[in-house]
Amino acid sequence: MQQLKNKIVLVTGASAGIGEACVRAFASVGARVIAAARRMERLEALARDVRQSGGEILSLGMDVRDRQAVERTLGRLPEEWSSVEVLVNNAGLGRGLEKLHEGDPAEWDEMLDTNVKGLLYVTRTIVPGMISRGHGHVINIGSVAGRELYPGGNVYCASKFAVKALTRGLKMDLLGTPVRVTTIDPGIVETGFSVVRFRGDKARAAKVYEDIEALKPTDIADAVVWSATRPERVDVTEMVIMPVAQSSAMLNHRGPWLQQNKK
Ligand code: NDP
Ligand code: 8X3
């Protein structure tokens, strides 16, 4: 098993949901975590918690859509934080479920700039160091939406299909180096994702998680840490994780379990 004690892990989108759970999970196995996102006040609260539990953490205010800010921030990390061993590309969002021909181009930009270009900028800045140090692991948070379409998913799904393509492409480009590449593709996870998708409409967001036991962010963080702690020869390339009550991006079971043998 690959030990992460004192290893540096960078998590984007660390201020909430899956990213925050990844920060806590990596800190709990002794990794030193760089937590990046835009909302510094949330990162600072998280940092206080991690430090109180004896962990080491560096908070970075960074918008992954801003290429120069990404290059500046990650290109000039303090020396003692610069050897990133594991990169978790998690920052991402969906906006709306409108039909493509009725969609808002500004929201397409937001999704593609964050989920695709942001992931590229961060990866481009961090991976060369992994190659030169002779080890590293890039873990992308994709989605079942990167494997299947659903009505109104158009641009969000395209962004997650792109994450899948970039994961596979990077895996090919890194052949011959010891750097590992993984995509972890969740189904429904209860986070702030739907509040963001429905532009602050909490009632509509709550319906996504109604009568279904969604995954928790910690379920995904478990898988991320598990992938990062396999023996160095093992690359978990792709993992799909859904709630038991979900069979595909579009097929969810809500309400009590079926009991087919009941008389
Ligand atoms: P949350 O909304 O809870 O968290 C999203 C995180 O991304 C926040 O920390 C947010 O931080 C950060 N983020 C968003 N935009 C930017 C940006 N421009 N720059 C830096 N950070 C940014 O959602 P989730 O935890 O659910 O989402 C995390 C990832 O998981 C996303 O990639 C999402 O697509 C994916 N996913 C989620 C699923 C779900 O059902 N929840 C299922 C499958 C995949 P801040 O606003 O502070 O910048
Ligand atoms: C987020 C989950 O199913 O709404 O990737 O696309 S879904």
Side-chain angles (χ1 to χ4, degrees), residues 12-20 36-43 62-66 89-94 110 113-115 141-145 156 159-160 163 184-196 208-209 217 220 241:
T12 68
S15 62
I18 295 169
E20 177 183 338
R38 293 166 301 178
R39 286 173 293 173
M40 264 319 269
E41 69 291 351
R42 291 187 63 105
L43 292 180
M62 188 179 80
D63 184 335
V64 296
R65 293 171 299 177
D66 182 341
N89 277 314
N90 164 76
L93 81 167
E110 197 179 3
D113 287 351
T114 309
N115 303 359
I141 305 300
S143 173
V144 293
Y156 178 71
S159 77
K160 291 298 184 179
V163 171
I184 295 194
D185 295 350
I188 302 175
V189 189
E190 188 161 357
T191 66
F193 179 89
S194 295
V195 175
V196 172
V208 174
Y209 312 111
I220 305 307
I241 309 174

Side-chain angles (χ1 to χ4, degrees), residues 19-235:
E20 177 183 338
C22 288
V23 170
R24 292 181 190 279
F26 277 112
S28 76
V29 296
R32 300 167 62 218
V33 188
I34 305 175
R38 293 166 301 178
R39 286 173 293 173
M40 264 319 269
E41 69 291 351
R42 291 187 63 105
L43 292 180
E44 289 303 348
L46 174 61
R48 279 194 294 279
D49 260 19
V50 167
R51 287 190 192 112
Q52 256 171 21
S53 315
E56 242 193 291
I57 183 164
L58 174 71
S59 310
L60 291 182
M62 188 179 80
D63 184 335
V64 296
R65 293 171 299 177
D66 182 341
R67 179 157 62 91
Q68 286 177 350
V70 168
E71 289 169 358
R72 193 174 53 243
T73 311
L74 299 181
R76 293 188 216 142
L77 285 168
E79 174 65 27
E80 66 278 19
W81 287 96
S82 61
S83 301
V84 175
E85 177 76 22
V86 181
L87 162 62
V88 183
N89 277 314
N90 164 76
L93 81 167
R95 284 287 189 202
L97 279 173
E98 284 74 32
K99 294 177 193 294
L100 194 146
H101 54 283
E102 294 166 352
D104 176 349
E107 295 190 332
W108 304 342
D109 286 347
E110 197 179 3
M111 288 186 271
L112 296 170
D113 287 351
T114 309
N115 303 359
V116 183
K117 290 166 72 182
L119 177 147
L120 282 169
Y121 300 152
V122 174
T123 305
R124 177 69 182 87
T125 311
I126 294 295
V127 167
M130 292 178 168
I131 298 170
S132 65
R133 286 187 297 276
H135 42 89
H137 192 168
V138 179
I139 302 178
N140 293 332
I141 305 300
S143 173
V144 293
R147 295 169 175 268
E148 300 169 60
L149 273 296
Y150 51 83
N154 45 63
V155 176
Y156 178 71
C157 292
S159 77
K160 291 298 184 179
F161 270 73
V163 171
K164 177 150 62 74
L166 294 173
T167 307
R168 291 184 181 174
L170 183 65
K171 171 79 181 153
M172 287 181 180
D173 293 342
L174 287 171
L175 186 65
T177 80
V179 179
R180 305 190 286 182
V181 187
T182 297
T183 181
I184 295 194
D185 295 350
I188 302 175
V189 189
E190 188 161 357
T191 66
F193 179 89
S194 295
V195 175
V196 172
R197 166 169 262 177
F198 299 127
R199 308 168 188 97
D201 183 342
K202 291 194 176 139
R204 188 172 177 199
K207 288 213 172 303
V208 174
Y209 312 111
E210 208 168 75
D211 295 328
I212 187 168
E213 188 169 6
L215 296 172
K216 297 182 191 309
T218 47
D219 299 326
I220 305 307
D222 277 351
V224 170
V225 172
W226 184 82
S227 305
T229 49
R230 292 314 85 210
E232 281 184 55
R233 66 182 175 280
V234 178
D235 189 358

